[in-house]
Amino acid sequence: MELFLISVIILAVLLLAVAVYAVMQKDLLYATIATGIISLILSVLFFLLQAPDVALTEAAIGIALTTIIFVITIRNTSRREDEILITQESEASKIDDKVKANM
Amino acid sequence: MKKLLVLLLLAVVGYSLYKPLSQVEFGADRIGDIENPTTVGAYYLSHTPSDLSVANVITAIVVNYRGFDTLGEVSVLFLAATGIGSILYRRRKEGEHSETITQPSSQLLQAGAKLIYPAILVLGAYVFIHGHLTPGGGFQGGAIIATGFLLMMMSYKDFHMNHTVLTWVESLAGITFVSVGIGGLIVGKTFLENFLAIGTLNDLFSGGIIPIIYIAVGFKVAAELAGVLDTLLSIKEK
Amino acid sequence: MENIDINQILGIAVFGASIGLILIGLYAVLMKKHLIKIVIGLSIIDAGIHLLFIAIGYISNGTSPIFSEKGISLVSEGTKMVDPVPQALVLTAIVIGFGVTAVALSLVIRLYRHHKTARIDQIKTLKW
């Protein structure tokens, strides 16, 4: 019982710490990995709280698939959160034309 | 100013979550007497072994008691897969091929992926075939199989999911689900009624229609998630 | 040390963690400018709500709701099973949450394709 108590408390504190890190981190790839770690800790907590089905679902979907779709999105967009867009008028209109051609 | 308002809102939300939860006693017995059930949870716990002879009560709830809900859930997943395909659609230029990965992966990753890929598929199939006996089921097994496909897609440049096959698997699994449900309507009284022999508890062939439906759900979820991952991986912006 | 209730400490830890996750996620959704950060905030809110549901269904010294022995009649001699209903609901919610996240991220990719930025304070035009 003591072991259960200590491990649940440690996991709860870790959960909050990793969540704060995921929100505060400017590099989105690190934030995404932190989101995966939230799912990992949550999966262990579900197992400790006698919910093995939910733990298995969270392990398969939360850790692997959600993380990978975030990574794919970051590959196709920008990586830094504080990225400043440098726009010049001519370039912007060229981009617009290209997008319209693709639609 | 905005930060102040947001903090105020967070304080209100936090207080309104804290106040009711402080009344809730953690770990208290909330489902009551199992022999004479007064709550839904106690009813499910007491009736699952005798009515359905399914060892895993959560499977019994997801597939049988709330089977219609699960049908809606797989439809939502199907809609999500279709929606992603239509949102990200763009006409290809002449001679342009979509590539899953832009750089070839290392020899080590390729050899390891080829070694571990069949094991992942077998694990996923095990999880959804034994969904009524052990923790797991169609959703978990389907997600594990999709993870195996993902590993191959990321390791090999020319590994692609065949979308025709995926569509067929998905449609057949969905048709199986609905026709088993309609079979319940024909033989018994209600949609998704358990009309097959339920067998004995803890046998592989027990639970009537529950293993059939969960296997169909497993195939459907695996095909849908693999389709989503293939769509997302084959777009290239830069 | 005997008069301190273990369940009370556990309740503070687990309920506190879930309320904390919901608030952190809400903060990210409301304050962050980058669209991917907003989706991360949504998935953190999801995680908090799932933990809350499982914690409400937990019964101390209970076992998971899976019958193990052949021919066992019911829950016997003082062993309790935890409430299966919240677990079934959370099972559904996790899968739907994945679908929601995937659609949201594909919308982010589509917005980036048009505006060449994913920060909402740099998206000037409303039309796309």
Side-chain angles (χ1 to χ4, degrees):
Chain A
M1 200 62 204
E2 262 72 45
L3 190 65
F4 178 70
L5 179 72
I6 292 167
S7 45
V8 167
I9 290 174
I10 289 175
L11 286 174
V13 172
L14 260 180
L15 199 58
L16 289 179
V18 178
V20 170
Y21 178 81
V23 171
M24 289 305 159
Q25 175 62 253
K26 294 281 185 217
D27 192 331
L28 288 171
L29 202 55
Y30 288 11
T32 300
I33 302 301
T35 320
I37 293 174
I38 291 175
S39 284
L40 178 64
I41 299 169
L42 210 59
S43 169
V44 178
L45 257 179
F46 287 156
F47 182 73
L48 286 178
L49 293 177
Q50 302 293 340
D53 283 84
V54 184
L56 200 55
T57 319
E58 185 74 41
I61 290 180
I63 301 174
L65 295 180
T66 309
T67 308
I68 201 71
I69 59 170
F70 271 112
V71 171
I72 293 168
T73 312
I74 289 171
R75 188 182 78 163
N76 287 308
T77 58
S78 59
R79 180 167 169 184
R80 298 285 307 179
E81 191 194 349
D82 44 8
E83 203 170 47
I84 305 296
L85 184 72
I86 310 147
T87 38
Q88 288 168 351
E89 200 55 44
S90 56
E91 232 180 56
S93 63
K94 217 186 285 174
I95 288 166
D96 262 6
D97 289 346
K98 219 162 91 186
V99 170
K100 264 171 208 155
N102 280 329
M103 296 268 253
Chain B
M1 186 60 202
K2 187 190 170 192
K3 201 159 193 168
L4 207 69
L5 278 176
V6 167
L7 287 180
L8 194 68
L9 177 70
L10 287 187
V12 171
V13 171
Y15 182 75
S16 57
L17 279 173
Y18 161 76
K19 197 64 186 168
L21 284 180
S22 62
Q23 314 288 326
V24 174
E25 196 184 335
F26 182 80
D29 187 0
R30 231 167 267 110
I31 61 175
D33 190 13
I34 296 197
E35 304 294 337
N36 308 304
T38 49
T39 59
V40 184
Y43 179 86
Y44 288 157
L45 280 179
S46 68
H47 284 248
T48 300
S50 52
D51 285 1
L52 302 169
S53 94
V54 168
N56 190 346
V57 182
I58 296 162
T59 300
I61 295 174
V62 167
V63 181
N64 202 286
Y65 293 116
R66 299 175 60 88
F68 208 62
D69 188 40
T70 305
L71 184 59
E73 186 185 355
V74 287
S75 320
V76 168
L77 261 188
F78 169 72
L79 271 180
T82 320
I84 289 166
S86 60
I87 287 171
L88 293 177
Y89 174 76
R90 106 193 302 187
R91 220 173 287 129
R92 295 233 166 79
K93 294 195 187 79
E94 284 298 312
E96 190 190 24
H97 288 290
S98 68
E99 278 175 346
T100 308
I101 46 175
T102 45
Q103 290 175 348
S105 47
S106 70
Q107 192 83 44
L108 197 63
L109 182 62
Q110 291 192 348
K114 200 179 255 177
L115 194 68
I116 206 171
Y117 168 64
I120 292 178
L121 294 195
V122 171
L123 175 69
Y126 171 82
V127 166
F128 69 66
I129 289 171
H130 290 248
H132 54 301
L133 304 175
T134 55
F139 296 105
Q140 294 92 328
I144 290 171
I145 289 178
T147 316
F149 286 140
L150 172 72
L151 188 65
M152 289 300 276
M153 279 190 253
M154 291 176 74
S155 317
Y156 290 92
K157 221 171 173 169
D158 48 356
F159 185 89
H160 274 288
M161 304 305 299
N162 188 341
H163 275 271
T164 321
V165 175
L166 284 185
T167 314
W168 273 98
V169 168
E170 200 182 325
S171 313
L172 282 179
I175 289 169
T176 312
F177 196 151
V178 174
S179 53
V180 168
I182 290 176
L185 201 58
I186 292 169
V187 177
K189 286 183 194 131
T190 53
F191 188 68
L192 280 173
E193 186 175 318
N194 204 339
F195 61 90
L196 294 177
I198 59 168
T200 53
L201 190 72
N202 260 324
D203 272 0
L204 183 57
F205 296 102
S206 65
I209 62 169
I210 288 177
I212 302 172
I213 289 180
Y214 235 13
I215 289 171
V217 168
F219 275 107
K220 197 166 162 61
V221 169
E224 275 157 1
L225 294 184
V228 167
L229 289 172
D230 195 50
T231 314
L232 279 173
L233 269 171
S234 54
I235 51 171
K236 199 172 65 178
E237 298 291 323
K238 288 167 189 167
Chain C
M1 287 302 279
E2 282 302 308
N3 53 359
I4 297 176
D5 193 7
I6 288 180
N7 277 338
Q8 216 169 355
I9 306 172
L10 277 173
I12 291 171
V14 178
F15 288 145
S18 52
I19 293 177
L21 280 182
I22 294 172
L23 292 184
I24 290 168
L26 201 57
Y27 176 82
V29 171
L30 292 173
M31 286 300 289
K32 291 291 168 178
K33 298 288 199 309
H34 201 282
L35 281 168
I36 295 178
K37 259 306 173 45
I38 293 174
V39 181
I40 286 178
L42 285 176
S43 71
I44 291 177
I45 296 180
D46 248 13
I49 292 171
H50 298 161
L51 184 58
L52 189 60
F53 266 57
I54 296 291
I56 286 176
Y58 180 72
I59 294 172
S60 54
N61 296 322
T63 60
S64 55
I66 296 169
F67 297 99
S68 53
E69 286 167 50
K70 205 160 199 164
I72 186 171
S73 64
L74 258 187
V75 199
S76 56
E77 286 101 44
T79 51
K80 282 272 181 189
M81 281 187 173
V82 300
D83 198 348
V85 182
Q87 300 195 9
L89 294 181
V90 171
L91 191 65
T92 311
I94 288 176
V95 180
I96 298 293
F98 173 75
V100 169
T101 310
V103 173
L105 285 177
S106 68
L107 281 173
V108 171
I109 294 176
R110 188 65 194 258
L111 273 175
Y112 186 85
R113 207 183 264 173
H114 186 77
H115 292 286
K116 295 292 160 195
T117 179
R119 284 177 62 91
I120 48 175
D121 54 347
Q122 288 175 0
I123 295 177
K124 297 281 187 335
T125 51
L126 288 172
K127 235 176 13 178
W128 60 305

